[in-house]
Structure formats: structure tokens, C-alpha cells
Amino acid sequence: MIDVVALGELLIDFTCVSADADGYPTLSAHPGGAPANYLAALAKFGAETAFIGKVGNDTFGKLLSATLQKAGIETRGLVMAEDVFTTLAFVTLDETGDREFSFARKPGADICLRFEEADLSLIDEAKSFHFGTLSLTDEPARTTTAKLLAHAKTQGKLISYDPNLRKPLWRNLAEAKEQLLWGLSQANVVKISDEEVEFLFGLSPEEGARHILSHYDVKLVYVTCGKDGCYYKNALAEGFVPALQGINVLDTTGAGDIFGGSAMYKLLSFGKAPELLCDEELQEIVRFACTAAGLSTTKPGGISSVPDYGEVIKHL
């Protein structure tokens, strides 16, 4: 049985590693895409995973397909398009490792996935269905996402969601807010950043988590706060776990996705509904996820930066 199937973007992250005298960057290519990073963490720790998405039938698309297979992620739901290119993201980093994105996606293959191309059997076989918002930025992927979510919900799957706001990809921020809030209305488990809580509600992490649980059918919220840590809340408990300290941060790309995948791995290991987890269990989940995410920032890229399970346990 598949533990988690994820829908969304699979792309190449080009990260600036240096620049010439005129400021033109030298770029290092890494496999990425938030749902793929999320699954890579789960697969690295031993979960059975599958991906639903679309890449171009080009050099980068073939590389990405091979990368998923190497990571142990089922790829029969990956469509290879003949008419559009694989999406590319360009990442610049500041001195603290924080990043800014720009995209070659007009359109990119990821937003061209049609519902009839999706392998529904992967959802039928899975315990959990995960999605983000990059598949909501444009059609036909937006309608495909809604239909696949509806199918997953009729099958009684656990729905996890990451708003993953990328402002340059939206026509305007009003549309972005509308779609991010729609995503919240569909989910049981949410991983959201403090910046996204501020964007959507103008609230602090603690207030935002309480607002989400009281206004949506969400059972468990993680509000990640970058280098500070993560605030968590369900119906039974709430608290804060600090981030991993004493590490040399190189690249934060994919850290939030790796947090989400690591947290889902631990959640599934308890075999309990998210609303029934006690404070001790939630602390264990969030400590594990914060540690995995922190260690990932010491290496470049997303999929390629997921630490080994033993390394995470050692730092715990």
C-alpha cells in the first residue's frame, strides 16, 4: 500500500553559486518542486510514496523522472509531455541562505496536467493525499487539482496541504489569497509558514493556528517559523519546538517541504487520527521534522538534501 501520494510540480531549481565581474551568475542545477521534496523525505525514511504530475519529455524531465525513481518514489503517475517544457526555477540566496525565486513557466509542464491524464489508482491505494498551491495558479492544473482532491476525499483519504506561496507565479495577490484559502478548506493537516499566516490573516503564528482550527475543518496545524522553529496545534494540545541549532546553513530551499514530509512520516507511524495526538506525540513529531529540515539546510537543493534517518536520530 502507498503511504502518501502527492500532486504538483516537479522542476529544476537553478541556484546561483557565484557571479562574474558583470554580475551574471553561475548556476547549479538541483531537482526540486515542493511535493517532490515532501515525498523525498518520506521515502528516505522508509515510507511508500507516489507522485502525480507532469514534466516535459526533454532532458530535464528525463533527469527528474530518474531522480524520483532513485529516491524510491513511484513514478507511474508522472506524465511526459511532448508539447511543453519542464518547469524551471531560478533561486538566488542571500548571506543567510534565504532564497528568492523566479520561474520559467509560461507555461511549464506542471500546470498543463489534465484530469484524464492522472492515475487515480495511486490515490485509491494511498493512505494520504498531499497537495500545494502551485498547481492552483493556472488551468488546467487548477481544475485537475480540485477533481483529484474530490476523488481523494470520497475515498476517505487523509488530506495534507502546504500553501507554499510563490508570489511571482500569481496574476495578483487577491487571486493567490482566494486559492490559498480554498486549499485550507480542503485539508485535514496543514503545514504553513509564519509569513503565509501573516499574508492570509495578519495574525501571529499562535493566533493563526487557532484561527485555522476554528474556521476550517483542519485537525492539525504546523506553523513553521524559519530559523526559530515551529508552532503546532490540534484539538488536544499546542506548543512550540525550537529549530535545530549550531548548524551551518547553506541553502534553505526545500526545508519547509522536508519538514512537512518528515512530520507526515512520524504522524503515520503513530497510526492515529491527527486530532487525537497528544502533546507528547506532537512534540516528538515536530522535533523530528525540525531536525530533518534543519539538517537539510546544510546541503544544497531540495530532494538531494534530505538527511538519512540515522543522522536525524543522532541529532535528536
Side-chain angles (χ1 to χ4, degrees):
M1 185 175 187
I2 297 169
D3 293 303
V4 181
V5 59
L7 164 72
E9 70 277 9
L10 178 63
L11 48 80
I12 301 290
D13 287 321
F14 286 96
T15 305
C16 177
V17 293
S18 63
D20 65 17
D22 295 319
Y24 289 96
T26 298
L27 301 171
S28 178
H30 300 283
N37 297 332
Y38 178 94
L39 291 180
L42 280 149
K44 192 70 171 281
F45 302 140
E48 295 294 326
T49 62
F51 181 82
I52 297 174
K54 196 171 192 177
V55 293
N57 189 16
D58 49 41
T59 299
F60 289 131
K62 293 171 184 175
L63 279 171
L64 287 167
S65 178
T67 295
L68 292 192
Q69 293 173 30
K70 184 178 179 181
I73 299 168
E74 171 61 58
T75 59
R76 75 174 189 263
L78 181 63
V79 179
M80 308 291 286
E82 299 291 346
D83 56 340
V84 283
F85 289 109
T86 300
T87 300
L88 308 178
F90 297 88
V91 188
T92 54
L93 303 173
D94 64 20
E95 62 277 3
T96 67
D98 282 333
R99 68 272 187 271
E100 182 175 334
F101 291 87
S102 57
F103 295 85
R105 194 185 188 230
K106 296 183 178 181
D110 69 296
I111 54 173
C112 296
L113 181 70
R114 301 186 305 275
F115 176 71
E116 57 269 23
E117 295 177 306
D119 188 339
L120 297 181
S121 70
L122 293 171
I123 298 174
D124 297 339
E125 296 172 29
K127 298 175 185 176
S128 176
F129 178 85
H130 176 75
F131 74 108
T133 55
L134 268 66
S135 62
L136 298 176
T137 58
D138 217 328
E139 294 290 358
R142 182 183 295 178
T143 295
T144 300
T145 301
K147 289 182 176 181
L148 292 179
L149 263 168
H151 181 79
K153 294 180 83 170
T154 61
Q155 299 292 315
K157 307 303 180 181
L158 179 69
I159 309 295
S160 66
Y161 169 60
D162 180 357
N164 195 30
L165 177 63
R166 295 287 178 261
K167 292 180 180 179
L169 291 177
W170 295 93
R171 295 182 185 88
N172 58 72
L173 293 184
E175 182 185 31
K177 184 173 183 178
E178 177 185 356
Q179 292 299 316
L180 265 66
L181 291 175
W182 178 84
L184 281 176
S185 73
Q186 303 298 308
N188 308 124
V189 177
V190 172
K191 196 289 295 180
I192 187 169
S193 74
D194 53 351
E195 293 175 348
E196 289 156 353
V197 166
E198 170 65 28
F199 170 76
L200 290 175
F201 308 115
L203 297 174
S204 69
E206 296 88 347
E207 294 168 333
R210 293 166 190 156
H211 178 86
I212 290 169
L213 257 69
S214 63
H215 287 76
Y216 297 90
D217 192 32
V218 174
K219 307 304 182 185
L220 172 59
V221 180
Y222 310 108
V223 183
T224 54
C225 304
K227 61 182 177 56
D228 295 322
C230 175
Y231 183 83
Y232 62 87
K233 179 171 175 56
N234 72 355
L236 300 179
E238 61 184 294
F240 185 84
V241 172
L244 183 64
Q245 302 298 314
I247 54 175
N248 180 31
V249 175
L250 176 65
D251 182 1
T252 59
T253 303
D257 312 323
I258 292 166
F259 175 98
S262 303
M264 181 56 70
Y265 169 78
K266 288 298 289 184
L267 188 159
L268 292 175
S269 74
F270 282 111
K272 297 173 66 173
E275 66 269 28
L276 299 179
L277 293 162
C278 68
D279 189 59
E280 182 179 359
E281 291 165 333
L282 286 170
Q283 285 193 40
E284 182 176 337
I285 289 170
V286 178
R287 285 181 61 235
F288 181 87
C290 280
T291 302
L295 290 171
S296 77
T297 68
T298 65
K299 303 172 185 176
I303 293 173
S304 55
S305 70
V306 180
D308 293 328
Y309 181 82
E311 186 180 3
V312 177
I313 298 302
K314 177 181 176 182
H315 281 80
L316 286 171

